[in-house]
Amino acid sequence: MPKKQCQSCGMPLKLDSPGWGTNKDHSKSDKYCTMCYKNGQFVNSEIDTAEKMQNLVFDILRQKRIPKFLVKLMIKDIPQLERWK
């Protein structure tokens, strides 16, 4: 059963406009978005901890002018996602 949000960054998968990330065989991943996962690999190898992912997502969402208090709510559960357990 597909997850409802990316298990790396927490983005709702229904918002991933190009489609979900891809596995090595180019099939769609049922766990990860296109910004995190392509061809069976995580896109940004520098993001290797939940804290680094939280910082990246925080910066991206703040650039979109989402209020800081909402961004903090949105990123608080990233450490509980499958990739970071």
mmCIF file of all heavy atoms in Angstrom, residues 22-39:
data_model
loop_
_atom_site.group_PDB
_atom_site.id
_atom_site.type_symbol
_atom_site.label_atom_id
_atom_site.label_comp_id
_atom_site.label_asym_id
_atom_site.label_seq_id
_atom_site.Cartn_x
_atom_site.Cartn_y
_atom_site.Cartn_z
ATOM 1 N N THR A 22 11.402 7.286 -8.526
ATOM 2 C CA THR A 22 11.504 6.048 -9.300
ATOM 3 C C THR A 22 12.503 5.071 -8.702
ATOM 4 O O THR A 22 13.520 5.475 -8.139
ATOM 5 C CB THR A 22 11.923 6.344 -10.752
ATOM 6 O OG1 THR A 22 13.131 7.107 -10.746
ATOM 7 C CG2 THR A 22 10.843 7.111 -11.490
ATOM 8 N N ASN A 23 12.201 3.790 -8.851
ATOM 9 C CA ASN A 23 13.090 2.716 -8.425
ATOM 10 C C ASN A 23 14.122 2.455 -9.529
ATOM 11 O O ASN A 23 14.051 3.055 -10.604
ATOM 12 C CB ASN A 23 12.263 1.450 -8.152
ATOM 13 C CG ASN A 23 11.275 1.673 -7.025
ATOM 14 O OD1 ASN A 23 11.630 2.152 -5.956
ATOM 15 N ND2 ASN A 23 10.018 1.356 -7.273
ATOM 16 N N LYS A 24 15.079 1.559 -9.260
ATOM 17 C CA LYS A 24 16.108 1.229 -10.250
ATOM 18 C C LYS A 24 15.523 0.785 -11.583
ATOM 19 O O LYS A 24 16.057 1.086 -12.633
ATOM 20 C CB LYS A 24 17.033 0.128 -9.721
ATOM 21 C CG LYS A 24 18.173 0.622 -8.910
ATOM 22 C CD LYS A 24 19.121 -0.524 -8.598
ATOM 23 C CE LYS A 24 20.303 0.017 -7.833
ATOM 24 N NZ LYS A 24 21.280 -1.032 -7.531
ATOM 25 N N ASP A 25 14.415 0.060 -11.520
ATOM 26 C CA ASP A 25 13.784 -0.440 -12.748
ATOM 27 C C ASP A 25 12.855 0.601 -13.387
ATOM 28 O O ASP A 25 12.099 0.286 -14.293
ATOM 29 C CB ASP A 25 13.032 -1.742 -12.482
ATOM 30 C CG ASP A 25 11.866 -1.568 -11.522
ATOM 31 O OD1 ASP A 25 11.594 -0.429 -11.063
ATOM 32 O OD2 ASP A 25 11.211 -2.581 -11.216
ATOM 33 N N HIS A 26 12.922 1.835 -12.907
ATOM 34 C CA HIS A 26 12.138 2.973 -13.396
ATOM 35 C C HIS A 26 10.648 2.891 -13.052
ATOM 36 O O HIS A 26 9.858 3.701 -13.516
ATOM 37 C CB HIS A 26 12.339 3.199 -14.899
ATOM 38 C CG HIS A 26 13.780 3.411 -15.247
ATOM 39 N ND1 HIS A 26 14.458 4.571 -14.928
ATOM 40 C CD2 HIS A 26 14.677 2.597 -15.844
ATOM 41 C CE1 HIS A 26 15.710 4.459 -15.328
ATOM 42 N NE2 HIS A 26 15.869 3.269 -15.882
ATOM 43 N N SER A 27 10.263 1.923 -12.227
ATOM 44 C CA SER A 27 8.889 1.895 -11.730
ATOM 45 C C SER A 27 8.752 2.986 -10.666
ATOM 46 O O SER A 27 9.745 3.447 -10.093
ATOM 47 C CB SER A 27 8.558 0.526 -11.138
ATOM 48 O OG SER A 27 9.389 0.258 -10.013
ATOM 49 N N LYS A 28 7.529 3.400 -10.408
ATOM 50 C CA LYS A 28 7.296 4.446 -9.409
ATOM 51 C C LYS A 28 7.501 3.893 -8.003
ATOM 52 O O LYS A 28 7.049 2.803 -7.689
ATOM 53 C CB LYS A 28 5.883 4.998 -9.542
ATOM 54 C CG LYS A 28 5.706 5.843 -10.768
ATOM 55 C CD LYS A 28 4.341 6.492 -10.786
ATOM 56 C CE LYS A 28 4.225 7.362 -12.019
ATOM 57 N NZ LYS A 28 2.981 8.111 -12.031
ATOM 58 N N SER A 29 8.176 4.654 -7.189
ATOM 59 C CA SER A 29 8.347 4.309 -5.782
ATOM 60 C C SER A 29 7.045 4.609 -5.054
ATOM 61 O O SER A 29 6.412 5.631 -5.310
ATOM 62 C CB SER A 29 9.478 5.144 -5.176
ATOM 63 O OG SER A 29 9.480 5.027 -3.779
ATOM 64 N N ASP A 30 6.663 3.748 -4.143
ATOM 65 C CA ASP A 30 5.455 4.027 -3.360
ATOM 66 C C ASP A 30 5.793 4.687 -2.023
ATOM 67 O O ASP A 30 4.936 4.843 -1.178
ATOM 68 C CB ASP A 30 4.640 2.755 -3.149
ATOM 69 C CG ASP A 30 5.369 1.707 -2.331
ATOM 70 O OD1 ASP A 30 6.576 1.880 -2.071
ATOM 71 O OD2 ASP A 30 4.736 0.717 -1.953
ATOM 72 N N LYS A 31 7.071 5.083 -1.855
ATOM 73 C CA LYS A 31 7.503 5.669 -0.585
ATOM 74 C C LYS A 31 8.091 7.068 -0.711
ATOM 75 O O LYS A 31 8.088 7.808 0.266
ATOM 76 C CB LYS A 31 8.570 4.789 0.064
ATOM 77 C CG LYS A 31 8.095 3.430 0.469
ATOM 78 C CD LYS A 31 9.233 2.664 1.092
ATOM 79 C CE LYS A 31 8.799 1.236 1.377
ATOM 80 N NZ LYS A 31 9.905 0.456 1.930
ATOM 81 N N TYR A 32 8.654 7.404 -1.868
ATOM 82 C CA TYR A 32 9.448 8.631 -1.967
ATOM 83 C C TYR A 32 9.019 9.528 -3.127
ATOM 84 O O TYR A 32 8.558 9.050 -4.161
ATOM 85 C CB TYR A 32 10.923 8.282 -2.131
ATOM 86 C CG TYR A 32 11.457 7.421 -1.023
ATOM 87 C CD1 TYR A 32 11.801 6.094 -1.250
ATOM 88 C CD2 TYR A 32 11.611 7.922 0.259
ATOM 89 C CE1 TYR A 32 12.291 5.290 -0.230
ATOM 90 C CE2 TYR A 32 12.092 7.130 1.290
ATOM 91 C CZ TYR A 32 12.436 5.820 1.041
ATOM 92 O OH TYR A 32 12.910 5.030 2.051
ATOM 93 N N CYS A 33 9.228 10.831 -2.960
ATOM 94 C CA CYS A 33 8.891 11.813 -3.993
ATOM 95 C C CYS A 33 10.044 11.961 -4.996
ATOM 96 O O CYS A 33 11.149 11.475 -4.765
ATOM 97 C CB CYS A 33 8.568 13.161 -3.350
ATOM 98 S SG CYS A 33 9.992 14.042 -2.663
ATOM 99 N N THR A 34 9.760 12.678 -6.075
ATOM 100 C CA THR A 34 10.771 12.870 -7.123
ATOM 101 C C THR A 34 11.929 13.746 -6.658
ATOM 102 O O THR A 34 13.028 13.638 -7.194
ATOM 103 C CB THR A 34 10.153 13.507 -8.379
ATOM 104 O OG1 THR A 34 9.515 14.721 -8.014
ATOM 105 C CG2 THR A 34 9.182 12.589 -9.040
ATOM 106 N N MET A 35 11.701 14.610 -5.676
ATOM 107 C CA MET A 35 12.785 15.473 -5.204
ATOM 108 C C MET A 35 13.782 14.706 -4.332
ATOM 109 O O MET A 35 14.911 15.128 -4.175
ATOM 110 C CB MET A 35 12.214 16.661 -4.444
ATOM 111 C CG MET A 35 11.484 17.612 -5.361
ATOM 112 S SD MET A 35 10.832 19.053 -4.514
ATOM 113 C CE MET A 35 9.391 18.331 -3.739
ATOM 114 N N CYS A 36 13.353 13.574 -3.779
ATOM 115 C CA CYS A 36 14.216 12.798 -2.885
ATOM 116 C C CYS A 36 14.811 11.552 -3.540
ATOM 117 O O CYS A 36 15.909 11.143 -3.161
ATOM 118 C CB CYS A 36 13.427 12.360 -1.652
ATOM 119 S SG CYS A 36 13.012 13.717 -0.540
ATOM 120 N N TYR A 37 14.123 10.958 -4.506
ATOM 121 C CA TYR A 37 14.480 9.607 -4.938
ATOM 122 C C TYR A 37 14.315 9.445 -6.444
ATOM 123 O O TYR A 37 13.230 9.664 -6.993
ATOM 124 C CB TYR A 37 13.564 8.631 -4.216
ATOM 125 C CG TYR A 37 14.014 7.194 -4.151
ATOM 126 C CD1 TYR A 37 15.119 6.817 -3.400
ATOM 127 C CD2 TYR A 37 13.307 6.208 -4.825
ATOM 128 C CE1 TYR A 37 15.503 5.495 -3.314
ATOM 129 C CE2 TYR A 37 13.670 4.878 -4.735
ATOM 130 C CZ TYR A 37 14.781 4.526 -3.986
ATOM 131 O OH TYR A 37 15.154 3.212 -3.898
ATOM 132 N N LYS A 38 15.410 9.083 -7.133
ATOM 133 C CA LYS A 38 15.373 8.845 -8.580
ATOM 134 C C LYS A 38 16.257 7.660 -8.913
ATOM 135 O O LYS A 38 17.379 7.540 -8.403
ATOM 136 C CB LYS A 38 15.854 10.064 -9.359
ATOM 137 C CG LYS A 38 14.908 11.234 -9.282
ATOM 138 C CD LYS A 38 15.374 12.398 -10.102
ATOM 139 C CE LYS A 38 14.415 13.551 -9.890
ATOM 140 N NZ LYS A 38 14.906 14.790 -10.439
ATOM 141 N N ASN A 39 15.742 6.791 -9.779
ATOM 142 C CA ASN A 39 16.495 5.626 -10.250
ATOM 143 C C ASN A 39 17.050 4.772 -9.111
ATOM 144 O O ASN A 39 18.166 4.267 -9.178
ATOM 145 C CB ASN A 39 17.617 6.053 -11.197
ATOM 146 C CG ASN A 39 17.076 6.748 -12.423
ATOM 147 O OD1 ASN A 39 16.061 6.354 -12.981
ATOM 148 N ND2 ASN A 39 17.740 7.812 -12.845
#
